[in-house]
Amino acid sequence: MSDYSSEEDSASEWVMYKDKPEWADIKPIPQDEGPNPIICIAYSDKYKDVNDYLRALLHKNEISERALGLTKEAIYLNPANYTVWQYRRQLLKALNQDLQQELIFINDIIQSTSKNYQVWHHRQVIVELMKDGSKEKPFTEEIIAIDAKHYHAWQHRQWAMKEFGLWDDELSYVEKLLEDDIRNNSAWNQRYFVVKHTTGFSDPEIMKREIKYTLDAIAKAAHNESPWSYLRGLLGAKLGDEAVVKFCKELLKSGCISPHLMAFLVDVAEEEMESQPAARPALLQEAARLLDDLANEHDTIRRNYYEFIGQNLKAKYGSPGATGDCPS
């Protein structure tokens, strides 16, 4: 169980709420473990004291400054307690509290327990109430600088950008992250998110730019799945872009052994088999060779998958006159 040092702790020795005269009117409510608890958690005396009084205030739905202070103590002890956060938000609104100060408080809590969903949700609600998202990009950048793939930070950042239209310079920020680590899948996801919600992909020049950017990244790290996923997202159901296919075939010819490259070319071959019936025998043979190499040499952990794909392609596009077999 977490036990953060609160402001009150730092100022003086902890005094139990049951020993504070100003709380004498409250009868604490202990946690009900039932008549025969299977496991009794060994809560600290401090934890039990704070939460027993918190339950009492919740029971009577007290709206007061002291209740607000108690929620802070409870949060220091367990920042993942949803009920405490919900009660705190109720108090903040009813008491018309300074939300700037609340933002400072939640900053500190997030820095201490950043993987906790409840703290990010609380921050989102506070920012919504303030109607000001100007601090959200700088704040999330601090978290991302420590953990470049921090799910909650990225999720919160995307929410703030959509909510407040914070799109300026975001593509540059993403490109800087990808310069630092071309394998940063979160940054690739953010790139797609930004383009989708700003220019979109319908403009041929935008598509050309994004394809070039992605192929350049693949050329640097062909075994990195992220740009391959991004490329598939760009091309959608039509993978057979002339420039992309040429790039991939040249990359394979150069000796690049990347399962992502080979699987992509299998999908391109299937697409071409659908549109070019006359070329099916040769395309099926090429797909079979790639699938055999994947299944038996370069990605053996997915052997059953590649064999399944090969059998399906042969069943769908094979003929008595076709040459070559798919892996079996």
Side-chain angles (χ1 to χ4, degrees), residues 63 65 68 89-99:
I63 305 297
E65 292 283 351
L68 186 64
R89 287 190 286 274
Q90 179 186 350
L91 293 166
L92 288 168
K93 295 175 187 177
L95 298 171
N96 195 28
Q97 292 291 297
D98 182 354
L99 297 183

Side-chain angles (χ1 to χ4, degrees), residues 160-207:
M161 290 171 63
K162 286 183 69 176
E163 184 73 12
F164 299 101
L166 306 175
W167 303 104
D168 290 352
D169 301 321
E170 186 66 11
L171 207 55
S172 298
Y173 172 66
V174 170
E175 289 180 358
K176 174 63 169 61
L177 291 177
L178 289 172
E179 285 174 11
D180 295 339
D181 179 12
I182 199 67
R183 294 171 175 81
N184 186 339
N185 57 298
S186 296
W188 279 105
N189 178 70
Q190 184 72 350
R191 185 179 185 93
Y192 192 89
F193 175 81
V194 173
V195 177
K196 178 181 177 180
H197 288 92
T198 53
T199 59
F201 297 97
S202 58
D203 186 331
E205 290 303 312
I206 297 296
M207 278 292 291

Side-chain angles (χ1 to χ4, degrees), residues 166-272:
L166 306 175
W167 303 104
D168 290 352
D169 301 321
E170 186 66 11
L171 207 55
S172 298
Y173 172 66
V174 170
E175 289 180 358
K176 174 63 169 61
L177 291 177
L178 289 172
E179 285 174 11
D180 295 339
D181 179 12
I182 199 67
R183 294 171 175 81
N184 186 339
N185 57 298
S186 296
W188 279 105
N189 178 70
Q190 184 72 350
R191 185 179 185 93
Y192 192 89
F193 175 81
V194 173
V195 177
K196 178 181 177 180
H197 288 92
T198 53
T199 59
F201 297 97
S202 58
D203 186 331
E205 290 303 312
I206 297 296
M207 278 292 291
K208 183 178 178 181
R209 180 196 72 190
E210 292 304 299
I211 288 173
K212 182 181 185 308
Y213 185 89
T214 309
L215 296 184
D216 288 346
I218 289 172
K220 294 176 184 176
H223 288 267
N224 175 18
E225 186 175 5
S226 296
W228 288 105
S229 297
Y230 190 82
L231 183 63
R232 288 177 178 274
L234 288 174
L235 299 175
K238 297 182 179 180
L239 303 179
D241 178 88
E242 184 177 348
V244 171
V245 173
K246 180 181 179 182
F247 168 87
C248 290
K249 289 183 175 180
E250 288 179 353
L251 190 60
L252 185 68
K253 188 176 180 181
S254 72
C256 176
I257 305 300
S258 164
H260 307 302
L261 166 63
M262 299 168 76
F264 186 87
L265 285 173
V266 169
D267 290 342
V268 169
E270 181 178 8
E271 189 177 283
E272 290 177 342

Side-chain angles (χ1 to χ4, degrees), residues 14 39 41 72-73 78 86 121 147 153 185 214 233 236 256 272:
W14 173 259
I39 297 175
I41 299 174
K72 179 178 284 192
E73 296 297 346
N78 181 12
Q86 181 63 27
H121 176 66
D147 181 355
N185 57 298
T214 309
C256 176
E272 290 177 342

